[in-house]
Amino acid sequence: MTEELRRWAHLRRQVGFRLQRANVGHVLAAFERLDRSNALGPHGIGLLYVVPAGHQPYGFELKVATRLFLSSPESDDLHRVLVDLADIAWDNITRAARAGRRWDPLGPENSLVNGGDMALPSSARYIGAAVSTLDSEMGPWYPVARQVRDQPLGGRMSMFDLRGQCYALLTDDTALYVDQNRNRPIGDTGIRCSKTLDPDRTTYHNRYANLTEQGDDNTRQMWAQLDTLHGVLTDYLPPWRPA
């Protein structure tokens, strides 16, 4: 396997683990503010970047800028969130071009994000877009979180048992699904990827090669809408080329 492919495989693993951590933070923040006036919605996005880092094994470091939303009928609808963000990104690009300047999704003007790694050097390169959602196989976020919160003292579950999910598309046409579940079986990372995560394993069948075509209609529609947002950003922003 070439060194470039090794770098991409390493990056995919980094994205998966980083998204798991981000989703845990999303769960804890949303649970803490559940049903308050500043309650967080169950869906968020992440913009993935790499920056040169000579001290790292493959010469780069992954950065994730995020956006979480206050709970509202609009932000509680993931499909609407993704469609609106793609439209906003396109409008920002168009307005900036008319004014003879470049738009940056990290800001400071018309930023798509409000947290995470927002202050990045000019050498940072966009490599993907991700979704963090608190809806999971346990059920929709609000009833599941309220059940945990309202259980009798000494109940079997805590907020740390609440699950979440992430989806990501990368500029090398990788799709990743990440299950955030601390009760996964030992040895299961929870990361499903359309391309290899192990650069030294060359002969195996990847049942997730068509990941974006799997799942129910709702999931496939989400993949398509994430792809639209990702496509707008990929076509506009400078590409990352692993050295």
Side-chain angles (χ1 to χ4, degrees):
M1 179 171 284
T2 67
E3 195 64 17
E4 178 177 351
L5 293 178
R6 286 184 179 279
R7 284 187 170 89
W8 273 111
H10 175 74
L11 178 59
R12 292 173 201 132
R13 294 194 300 272
Q14 293 300 305
V15 168
F17 294 133
R18 183 68 180 272
L19 290 179
Q20 282 178 334
R21 294 197 299 271
N23 189 268
V24 169
H26 189 181
V27 167
L28 299 182
F31 188 81
E32 181 180 318
R33 293 158 61 169
L34 185 64
D35 292 330
R36 297 183 182 178
S37 60
N38 65 341
L40 286 174
H43 312 301
I45 63 144
L47 301 184
L48 312 175
Y49 287 79
V50 294
V51 298
H55 63 285
Q56 294 294 330
Y58 288 92
F60 66 82
E61 190 170 4
L62 175 68
K63 301 291 184 179
V64 183
T66 60
R67 179 161 187 170
L68 299 180
F69 303 88
L70 292 177
S71 179
S72 71
E74 294 77 18
S75 65
D76 290 352
D77 183 342
L78 177 56
H79 301 292
R80 180 168 180 174
V81 167
L82 292 172
V83 169
D84 287 350
L85 286 175
D87 289 343
I88 290 169
W90 180 250
D91 288 345
N92 288 337
I93 291 169
T94 302
R95 283 197 299 269
R98 289 173 180 165
R101 56 183 178 80
R102 297 280 297 178
W103 170 70
D104 189 335
L106 302 182
E109 295 182 8
N110 301 315
S111 173
L112 289 186
V113 295
N114 58 13
D117 301 315
M118 298 174 60
L120 298 182
S122 59
S123 58
R125 292 293 181 265
Y126 171 82
I127 54 96
V131 163
S132 170
T133 178
L134 307 185
D135 294 341
S136 71
E137 292 185 4
M138 298 177 72
W141 165 249
Y142 292 112
V144 170
R146 288 168 183 147
Q147 181 180 10
V148 172
R149 181 195 61 188
D150 298 338
Q151 67 185 326
L153 188 64
R156 293 183 301 122
M157 294 185 67
S158 76
M159 62 181 175
F160 298 103
D161 293 302
L162 291 167
R163 296 175 60 174
Q165 305 176 91
C166 294
Y167 304 82
L169 295 173
L170 307 185
T171 52
D172 73 332
D173 297 324
T174 291
L176 291 106
Y177 166 76
V178 179
D179 177 29
Q180 186 278 111
N181 172 19
R182 77 168 191 169
N183 297 314
R184 286 190 310 274
I186 294 175
D188 181 3
T189 65
I191 302 171
R192 310 291 181 254
C193 188
S194 64
K195 295 188 177 183
T196 184
L197 297 170
D198 183 355
D200 295 316
R201 186 179 179 186
T202 57
T203 56
Y204 74 105
H205 171 68
N206 184 0
R207 58 178 172 158
Y208 305 109
N210 299 316
L211 185 60
T212 60
E213 300 172 15
Q214 299 174 8
D216 58 20
D217 289 342
N218 189 59
T219 301
R220 293 194 297 271
Q221 183 182 11
M222 182 281 305
W223 278 119
Q225 292 159 342
L226 179 59
D227 185 54
T228 299
L229 172 62
H230 175 55
V232 170
L233 297 176
T234 299
D235 290 344
Y236 181 69
L237 299 172
W240 180 55
R241 304 189 186 283

